[in-house]
Amino acid sequence: MNFSLRPAAVLAALLCAPAASALSLQEAQRAMEAHNPDLRAAALELRGVQGDAQTAALRPATELSIGTSKVSPRHGVGPGRWQDKRVDSTLGLGWTWERGGKRALRIRQADALLEVAGLEMLDARRRKQVALHEAYFGLKGAQERVRIAEANRQSSAEQMAAADKQVATGAMAPVDRARLAVDDLAVADAAREAALELRDARHMLGLLLGRDDSRDLSADDPWPQTGVALAAVAFDPQQRADLRAARSRLAAADAGVDLARSERHRDIQLGVEAEREPTDISGVTWGVSLTLPLGGPSRARGAIQRAEADRDSAALELQVLQREARAELDQLQASVQSAARRRDDYEGLHADAARKALQGIELAYRRGAASLTDLLDARRSWRDFEAALIEARADHAVALARWEAATSLAEGESR
């Protein structure tokens, strides 16, 4: 039985896939900003809030009223010209006088909510940058795992071919070949898993970029450097977009409280009316009206209580976010430093030298200077080292992206 058929099928499927399209991180960022559905939804939300701000600035519209009365079911409206009809006709205009500064308070609240929408869009962009780095470097790690899996598969296939010849000549016991076959199956499983991980990583990045077909995506930027001086960065966490948005929400809630309290000042409606009644005075008369809602200031008590609760909730949310931001910065800084040290430790082992050492063990085994157990242990150690090195690089890249996003500037750009 040929144990190299399974990994060969996996690699054949990969070779039949479309050619990979090289994509830099900056190109991916531009594509995400242009096509990501979540960022487009945030922009549409901002556009809607801009419309709300325009509506909040409107004054009460002037009301026009036209009416007629004294239409008799028996005699109708009377004979003659329209001027001689018996009906009583009225034409009036009405204005609403808003008291308590309601319009100014509406504008103040709408401006604060507009600022919230803009800052939330920047914060959504900041969070998507983190997701983009995770997906991009996740794809890069998957590509390297596929490359390593191919190299391991080729080496295992060559070893199995040599083992078949040795078994045929009696130089190797069948039980030793069976042990090699088990290891070859492990290599084949790793190749299949690497191929699936590559497909998933491409789909994840494609979703962020808003692409329908992500089969040809390829992450070709190098891994980020580890020598980033985090402690020298001077950054005020209060300038982060999410904290600024929380403060703007609190300002909008304050305006909402004042707006609710302004309802204690009842609006007044003023009107002027022209009335034509030909049967009584044969002419046009004028009148004015004043409408004032009845009821005391207690009618606004429920709305005031609701607005004050919303304001207190916004203040509490701001306090929680401030504490979380301070804790997050400390945690992210420690994570970046730990990930950088871990990556340096693995890279300090010199992968090329370790690979040559494995090749030396394989050569020694073929010449009878090393046992099969030594060979299998060396292979497993090498595969574990390769996987750990890729994981360390990817973890460092993601941790660095999270730190940069957490310390992003007011404009939403990462440093």
Side-chain angles (χ1 to χ4, degrees):
M1 178 178 180
N2 190 353
F3 289 90
S4 63
L5 290 178
R6 293 184 179 180
V10 173
L11 294 170
L14 290 175
L15 293 175
C16 294
S21 174
L23 186 69
S24 68
L25 187 58
Q26 290 185 350
E27 292 172 343
Q29 172 118 16
R30 288 193 293 268
M32 182 186 71
E33 292 176 354
H35 305 292
N36 183 266
D38 294 333
L39 295 182
R40 294 175 65 184
L44 292 175
E45 177 65 20
L46 175 61
R47 183 173 144 198
V49 176
Q50 289 172 342
D52 294 339
Q54 295 177 6
T55 303
L58 295 177
R59 300 180 184 274
T62 301
E63 297 178 355
L64 172 66
S65 61
I66 301 175
T68 183
S69 61
K70 295 186 179 180
V71 178
S72 174
R74 179 178 297 180
H75 303 290
V77 297
R81 299 174 302 169
W82 67 271
Q83 298 92 337
D84 300 330
K85 303 299 183 182
R86 295 194 288 263
V87 297
D88 183 7
S89 302
T90 59
L91 177 66
L93 291 175
W95 297 269
T96 299
W97 175 25
E98 286 189 311
R99 301 173 64 233
K102 293 183 178 67
R103 177 174 177 269
L105 292 172
R106 285 199 308 270
I107 294 176
R108 183 177 130 201
Q109 185 183 42
D111 288 343
L113 292 175
L114 180 60
E115 187 175 2
V116 169
L119 291 170
E120 285 182 341
M121 185 175 69
L122 291 181
D123 189 56
R125 179 186 177 191
R126 179 179 70 90
R127 296 179 185 278
K128 286 300 178 182
Q129 285 176 350
V130 176
L132 176 64
H133 280 75
E134 292 178 351
Y136 186 87
F137 289 110
L139 175 59
K140 184 174 181 63
Q143 291 171 180
E144 293 196 358
R145 281 189 286 272
V146 167
R147 176 181 56 80
I148 291 172
E150 161 64 5
N152 291 336
R153 187 207 65 82
Q154 290 180 354
S155 176
S156 180
E158 293 173 359
Q159 194 67 43
M160 286 300 301
D164 289 338
K165 293 180 181 178
Q166 291 174 346
V167 170
T169 60
M172 175 183 288
V175 65
D176 289 339
R177 184 197 178 281
R179 293 178 64 187
L180 285 175
V182 172
D183 188 69
D184 186 70
L185 285 177
V187 172
D189 289 339
R192 282 192 295 270
E193 184 177 355
L196 293 176
E197 288 180 356
L198 178 61
R199 177 182 297 179
D200 293 342
R202 282 173 171 167
H203 284 318
M204 184 176 297
L205 181 60
L207 289 175
L208 283 174
L209 303 184
R211 294 184 53 160
D212 295 330
D213 187 4
S214 57
R215 291 176 296 173
D216 60 342
L217 289 178
S218 173
D220 291 345
D221 273 9
W223 295 106
Q225 298 297 322
T226 57
V228 180
L230 302 180
V233 176
F235 174 74
D236 182 9
Q238 299 298 324
Q239 297 304 314
R240 265 178 36 173
D242 54 344
L243 293 180
R244 292 171 58 200
R247 289 196 296 272
S248 296
R249 275 191 292 269
L250 179 58
D254 281 332
V257 171
D258 293 338
L259 183 60
R261 290 173 179 170
S262 70
E263 294 296 331
R264 295 170 176 172
H265 302 276
R266 289 162 287 180
D267 298 339
I268 296 177
Q269 291 183 339
L270 303 174
V272 60
E273 182 180 73
E275 182 177 3
R276 176 183 175 276
E277 191 172 1
T279 58
D280 292 341
I281 57 176
S282 299
V284 176
T285 59
W286 295 87
V288 294
S289 64
L290 175 67
T291 304
L292 183 65
L294 298 177
S298 60
R299 293 178 61 87
R301 187 176 302 164
I304 294 173
Q305 183 176 345
R306 174 76 265 180
E308 289 176 345
D310 291 340
R311 179 196 57 192
D312 294 342
S313 177
L316 179 61
E317 179 187 3
L318 177 59
Q319 293 176 2
V320 171
L321 285 176
Q322 288 173 338
R323 287 195 295 266
E324 289 179 348
R326 289 190 293 267
E328 181 186 13
L329 288 177
D330 183 69
Q331 179 183 8
L332 290 177
Q333 185 174 9
S335 297
V336 173
Q337 293 171 348
S338 176
R341 286 194 298 267
R342 179 169 176 255
R343 175 181 168 180
D344 288 339
D345 290 342
Y346 275 100
E347 290 181 341
L349 294 177
H350 302 294
D352 292 339
R355 181 68 180 177
K356 290 180 180 178
L358 173 63
Q359 293 173 351
I361 292 291
E362 292 176 343
L363 179 60
Y365 173 75
R366 286 195 293 269
R367 293 180 178 178
S371 66
L372 179 60
T373 301
D374 294 336
L375 174 64
L376 296 179
D377 289 343
R379 283 182 176 178
R380 281 191 291 268
S381 298
W382 168 249
R383 289 197 293 266
D384 293 341
F385 168 76
E386 286 179 320
L389 177 60
I390 295 175
E391 183 181 359
R393 288 171 173 171
D395 289 346
H396 171 257
V398 172
L400 185 61
R402 290 174 178 171
W403 164 259
E404 292 181 346
T407 58
S408 59
L409 302 180
E411 292 79 12
E413 298 288 347
S414 295
R415 292 178 293 101

